[in-house]
Amino acid sequence: MARLTQSYVHGVSDIPLIGQTVGAFFDAAARRWAKSDALIVRHQKVRWTYAELKRKVDDFAAGLLALGFVPGDRVGIWSPNNAEWVITQLATAKAGLILVNINPAYRLAEADYALNKVACKALVTASQFKTSDYVGMLNQLTAEGRLPHLQTIIRIGGAASGMLGFDDVPGLAGPEHHERLTQLGEELQFDEPINIQFTSGTTGYPKGATLTHHNILNNGFFIGETMKLSEKDRVCIPVPLYHCFGMVLGNLACITHGSAMVYPGEGFDPLAVLETVAEEKCTGLYGVPTMFIAELGHADFKKFDLSSLRTGIMAGSPCPIEVMKRVVSEMHMEDVTICYGMTETSPVSFQTSPADPLEKRVGSVGRIHPHVEVKIVDAEGRIVPPGETGELCTRGYSVMRGYWDDAEKTSEAIDAARWMHTGDLARLDEEGYCNIVGRIKDMVIRGGENIYPREIEEFLYRHPKVQDVQVIGVPDPKYGEELCAWIRLKSGAACTEEEIRGFCQGQIAHYKIPRYVKFVDAFPMTVTGKIQKYLMREEARRELGLVEEKTA
């Protein structure tokens, strides 16, 4: 590759983009690899071939049609990882329905907002997960009349009052519904929306990134190509399916290459991951850095034979260089890759390759993905020279349709030339390798979860004693970052850290609840009245004795 003279790269490839819907591609894959393992779910004792998975997907999709849903309707899924999740993902795609991913950690206020923002007509839900009682929350929301669009709730695990059982849906379909499903396979277009994923914004309210068949099918395919996946691979997927990491990098990368999807549990448990890799002889393993740290640090780590591993993905937050080196040497993952991207870009734009020099594989996020463009620009929008820092902008097949029902926020993110402005600060070297060096926005990445402080601030403003609040991210050795809330109380009010955290319990996801709370009389500001969050971060680090981790 010629050395760059400006910070612009585009992914040249001899392999064309896939011009099919997810359903059409999956049908062809199921025929090609009919007898190969498609899905292994350890905690459910599920082991299905591609042919078996296709039958279950088709039956569930026909059942959704029998319930009266038509292409374009939104169907939510609120569940941890399980076999029903991937069935729903593929069945909605085949039926032309738009799958809406609801974060399993969401509580009342968040679920209320998400389901109503996109007018979900149906919801596939688990009963509960950890401390989240999904059925209880849904009963409360429906009893209060807060879900006017929701017509059908499908419960994983069996029918309940006012809810259909997941396993009962296929039986609702007749021959005409299966025939209609076949017709839809010929009618659906690959540029149609297939998936909505919520990503928080600086307004404090989640935005629904709307992705198409073309977006996520191609991204999953080229991720798998970079990893050199084949029908011989078995990929352990402990990352959540509601996120692009699970459903695109995981499920679609596997399905497009005939590989087996292996789920070690409902949620992440380091011991279950180690046991699953050893038992199933997995060749690939996914995770955010905190997951790999937990696996490497487990007391029984050395007892497990992980020699079957060769590849995998570490992504979701900056990857500590020393952790990457240990993953390569101690977990046998010589071909492990790092990915960078965002939900709005399906998600991957950069990925390291097994052929890259080790220092580039552990010290960068790799080079541009096939058929994708990236430029690094300064504050005036001009492309900067190689080695200089600027905002990363990306363009190509992977850029979302837009934010659901939010033209204003879409136009702020995607300019007239279709460049997606990521808000991330990055630099390209002369060979085209990318380093992510910071964030223009104040986004906090805690254990792979993107958190926008404004959303937490908006919620904390509801507390009757809070006059003003600012939320920042501070370094954390386990999660990469943790939340710290600086709070100005109303005149004469008294409050404790425990009271603030108690106010958050059950209303916002656990990972959004500030670990640190500091009561202050004022915030550091510029003469024009702008809050100086960088000074707040520096002071919080000093007071709490926190140290920044060195990352790639």
Side-chain angles (χ1 to χ4, degrees):
M1 176 178 176
R3 291 189 172 272
L4 300 183
T5 57
Q6 60 176 352
S7 294
Y8 167 79
V9 286
H10 61 99
V12 178
S13 177
D14 293 332
I15 304 173
L17 290 169
I18 299 167
Q20 292 177 285
T21 62
V22 167
F25 194 99
F26 173 64
D27 285 352
R31 289 191 297 270
R32 180 177 177 184
W33 298 298
K35 296 181 180 178
S36 297
D37 283 340
L39 181 66
I40 297 163
V41 187
R42 188 172 184 258
H43 63 284
Q44 293 180 299
K45 296 181 172 55
V46 162
R47 188 178 299 272
W48 297 334
T49 64
Y50 270 90
E52 290 169 330
L53 177 59
K54 175 177 161 40
R55 282 197 295 274
K56 292 179 183 296
V57 166
D58 288 350
D59 289 347
F60 191 74
L64 291 173
L65 296 179
L67 285 166
F69 300 112
V70 298
D73 284 346
R74 274 75 69 199
V75 176
I77 182 163
W78 196 12
S79 169
N81 292 8
N82 50 40
E84 290 84 358
W85 214 109
V86 69
I87 289 173
T88 304
Q89 178 185 351
L90 295 169
T92 49
K94 294 198 72 172
L97 307 173
I98 301 174
L99 183 70
V100 182
N101 300 9
I102 308 296
N103 189 328
Y106 272 8
R107 296 301 174 100
L108 280 167
E110 298 152 320
D112 181 352
Y113 176 84
L115 292 169
N116 283 309
K117 174 64 179 176
V118 300
C120 271
K121 285 191 175 180
L123 178 67
V124 175
T125 183
S127 296
Q128 60 183 49
F129 177 57
K130 295 183 177 178
T131 59
S132 296
D133 177 5
Y134 301 137
V135 170
M137 285 188 274
L138 287 167
N139 285 338
Q140 181 177 337
L141 290 171
T142 51
E144 294 172 0
R146 289 160 67 179
L147 300 176
H149 307 285
L150 194 62
Q151 300 172 3
T152 305
I153 299 176
I154 300 168
R155 179 175 172 266
I156 296 169
S161 177
M163 301 181 184
L164 289 170
F166 188 95
D167 292 339
D168 298 329
V169 172
L172 302 175
E176 68 276 20
H177 301 111
H178 285 273
E179 183 178 339
R180 176 60 182 147
L181 189 66
T182 301
Q183 292 172 349
L184 281 171
E186 299 171 358
E187 295 173 10
L188 298 176
Q189 300 296 299
F190 63 67
D191 277 333
E192 291 170 347
I194 184 180
N195 185 219
I196 296 173
Q197 298 197 33
F198 284 97
T199 177
S200 294
T202 52
T203 61
Y205 296 101
K207 296 172 293 187
T210 306
L211 303 171
T212 66
H213 296 265
H214 202 58
N215 289 150
I216 61 176
L217 180 62
N218 279 289
N219 207 251
F221 172 75
F222 283 106
I223 288 162
E225 286 292 285
T226 304
M227 297 170 67
K228 301 187 185 307
L229 291 183
S230 75
E231 68 275 12
K232 297 178 181 177
D233 283 298
R234 304 163 75 79
V235 181
C236 184
I237 306 172
V239 295
L241 296 176
Y242 84 88
H243 193 279
C244 269
F245 202 167
M247 68 167 285
V248 179
L249 285 75
N251 292 350
L252 291 179
C254 286
I255 288 168
T256 52
H257 292 81
S259 307
M261 301 167 278
V262 184
Y263 304 160
E266 284 190 310
F268 175 68
D269 176 76
L271 181 59
V273 171
L274 294 168
E275 290 172 342
T276 301
V277 169
E279 291 169 8
E280 296 295 338
K281 294 185 168 32
C282 292
T283 58
L285 174 61
Y286 289 0
V288 298
T290 53
M291 291 180 175
F292 284 104
I293 291 168
E295 290 150 13
L296 287 161
H298 195 277
D300 293 332
F301 174 77
K302 293 187 182 301
K303 294 181 181 178
F304 294 98
D305 180 4
L306 308 180
S307 60
S308 59
L309 287 173
R310 67 163 186 88
T311 189
I313 296 175
M314 191 187 297
S317 61
C319 306
I321 291 171
E322 292 307 312
V323 176
M324 273 292 293
K325 289 179 178 176
R326 289 190 65 195
V327 167
V328 171
S329 62
E330 297 177 39
M331 300 183 80
H332 310 283
M333 294 172 62
E334 290 84 2
D335 293 346
V336 66
T337 70
I338 291 178
C339 292
Y340 160 80
M342 61 191 306
T343 302
E344 291 91 334
T345 59
S346 306
V348 173
S349 299
F350 284 90
Q351 188 173 2
T352 59
S353 162
D356 291 332
L358 181 62
E359 64 270 19
K360 297 294 187 183
R361 289 169 51 211
V362 301
S364 79
V365 294
R367 290 197 273 197
I368 192 71
H369 240 232
H371 304 288
V372 173
E373 294 177 274
V374 157
K375 64 179 180 178
I376 310 294
V377 300
D378 61 19
E380 284 72 47
R382 300 180 64 84
I383 299 175
V384 301
E388 288 194 14
T389 296
E391 182 182 14
L392 191 154
C393 300
T394 183
R395 181 169 69 177
Y397 80 85
S398 60
V399 175
M400 66 174 179
R401 284 271 293 255
Y403 294 118
W404 186 269
D405 193 27
D406 201 334
E408 181 181 349
K409 292 301 176 188
T410 299
S411 64
E412 289 175 10
I414 303 173
D415 66 25
R418 288 294 297 171
W419 287 101
M420 176 78 207
H421 291 251
T422 68
D424 286 323
L425 293 169
R427 59 175 176 261
L428 288 171
D429 68 16
E430 292 182 341
E431 295 177 285
Y433 289 94
C434 181
N435 280 85
I436 305 300
V437 297
R439 295 184 295 279
I440 296 171
K441 303 169 187 174
D442 289 317
M443 184 175 73
V444 175
I445 302 180
R446 180 193 182 276
E449 294 284 359
N450 292 351
I451 307 170
Y452 286 82
R454 183 67 183 272
E455 183 181 357
I456 318 303
E457 292 162 3
E458 294 268 354
F459 178 77
L460 289 175
Y461 276 124
R462 302 180 192 176
H463 193 289
K465 295 180 181 179
V466 171
Q467 175 68 35
D468 201 357
V469 56
Q470 295 291 325
V471 174
I472 56 174
V474 295
D476 184 78
K478 182 176 181 182
Y479 292 108
E481 289 183 288
E482 276 282 10
L483 293 176
C484 176
W486 285 36
I487 293 175
R488 284 179 56 219
L489 296 174
K490 291 179 179 177
S491 179
C495 193
T496 65
E497 293 184 29
E498 291 72 24
E499 186 176 341
I500 294 296
R501 282 191 284 266
F503 179 73
C504 299
Q505 292 288 342
Q507 294 296 318
I508 60 175
H510 66 89
Y511 62 83
K512 296 179 185 175
I513 299 175
R515 179 173 178 182
Y516 307 104
V517 178
K518 176 181 171 70
F519 295 101
V520 297
D521 295 322
F523 305 115
M525 291 187 180
T526 65
V527 291
T528 57
K530 185 176 180 180
I531 303 289
Q532 295 177 298
K533 284 195 171 183
Y534 74 96
L535 291 178
M536 294 168 57
R537 282 189 283 268
E538 289 174 7
E539 184 174 332
R541 282 202 298 267
R542 283 197 305 271
E543 289 183 359
L544 297 169
L546 303 173
V547 180
E548 291 276 16
E549 294 288 310
K550 185 180 179 184
T551 61

